[in-house]
Amino acid sequence: MGLKAAPEDQALLLELQTLDTTLRQLARRAEKLPEREIVDRLDSTRTALERTRAEQSGAAEDVRLELKRTEADVEVVQARIVRDTERLNTSASVKDVAALEQELEALGRRKSDLEDIELAVMETLEQREADLAATEGELATLSSAIAEATSARDAALAEIEAARAQAAAGRQTVAAKVPADLLALYEKQRERYGTGASHLRGGVSSASGVALAATDMTKIRAADPDDVILCPDSSAILVRTAESGL
């Protein structure tokens, strides 16, 4: 014999299905929440900017080291110029004086070249630091946007969670009224096919949205009110009511 259940108990399955549909929709809504997508997109942008900032910071640090090396080279040349100038001022040897003057001339050219390099490095450092500052400014602005988007996302999720909790509580209340064997069949069909109960309204199964064949309708009309019938199209429990067109 097939499963039997009072028509009023079978009708409870429609309430249960409505609540399960609501819960499924809420879960999908939470997963596809626009606010969530906004936060994810902003987080991706922040990750890219943080990578850029790290690269720019490294590039700026390299230029700072280069500037320190150039400044040290200038100091070494300047120290040699001071030393040779002192020796020139105290030397009595014509030969030594000529050599020192020649070396001082070379040192002067070397210092001039190094100072040109130093100036170029300083300009490069200025540009690197400006680029880094601009990126840090973008990150600061982005952080504010992320905070606002996160707040909006959390508020939306809280609203969905409140609706979910309400629907879950309602489901628990309705499920407690359904006979165990009928509930077990409902859960089995819902897990297997996605829908546990279908309302037969005007000869149309709500689960499939398709009008049942005449032969199926004949069998359904011949069934007892407490017979539990499965929809031939959706395999959900077919719940008959005054609207079923029987």
Side-chain angles (χ1 to χ4, degrees), residues 161-238:
E161 174 56 26
R164 189 208 64 78
Q166 182 178 1
R171 186 192 195 282
Q172 185 175 8
T173 299
V174 174
K177 300 176 183 178
V178 180
D181 52 356
L182 181 61
L183 180 61
L185 178 61
Y186 168 84
E187 297 290 14
K188 177 182 177 182
Q189 300 306 102
R190 184 174 69 89
E191 181 178 352
R192 182 176 298 175
Y193 302 106
T195 303
S198 177
H199 188 190
L200 180 61
R201 182 186 291 115
V204 176
S205 169
S206 63
S208 65
V210 175
L212 299 188
T215 53
D216 291 326
M217 290 296 294
T218 298
K219 293 178 182 178
I220 293 170
R221 290 189 180 97
D224 292 333
D226 62 350
D227 284 337
V228 176
I229 302 172
L230 296 182
C231 173
D233 293 321
S234 67
S235 295
I237 297 173
L238 197 62

Side-chain angles (χ1 to χ4, degrees), residues 38-57:
I38 291 173
V39 172
D40 291 344
R41 185 170 66 252
L42 291 176
D43 278 338
S44 295
T45 301
R46 177 168 59 184
T47 298
L49 278 176
E50 286 175 342
R51 188 181 303 113
T52 298
R53 178 177 62 181
E55 293 171 354
Q56 291 175 333
S57 180

Side-chain angles (χ1 to χ4, degrees), residues 105-177:
E105 183 179 352
L107 287 172
R109 290 195 299 269
R110 174 61 176 159
K111 181 181 178 183
S112 177
D113 291 341
L114 286 172
E115 287 175 340
D116 288 343
I117 294 173
E118 182 180 21
L119 179 60
V121 172
M122 291 175 65
E123 291 175 348
T124 299
L125 178 58
E126 183 179 357
Q127 183 59 54
R128 295 285 187 275
E129 291 179 336
D131 292 342
L132 179 59
T135 300
E136 289 177 337
E138 289 183 57
L139 278 168
T141 300
L142 187 60
S143 293
S144 297
I146 290 175
E148 293 179 7
T150 300
S151 178
R153 179 202 62 190
D154 292 346
L157 287 174
E159 181 181 344
I160 291 173
E161 174 56 26
R164 189 208 64 78
Q166 182 178 1
R171 186 192 195 282
Q172 185 175 8
T173 299
V174 174
K177 300 176 183 178

Side-chain angles (χ1 to χ4, degrees), residues 9-19 186 197-200 206 237 239-241:
D9 289 335
Q10 295 189 47
L12 289 172
L13 297 181
L14 295 179
E15 295 182 46
L16 199 60
Q17 183 60 66
T18 296
L19 290 167
Y186 168 84
S198 177
H199 188 190
L200 180 61
S206 63
I237 297 173
V239 179
R240 293 157 289 166
T241 68

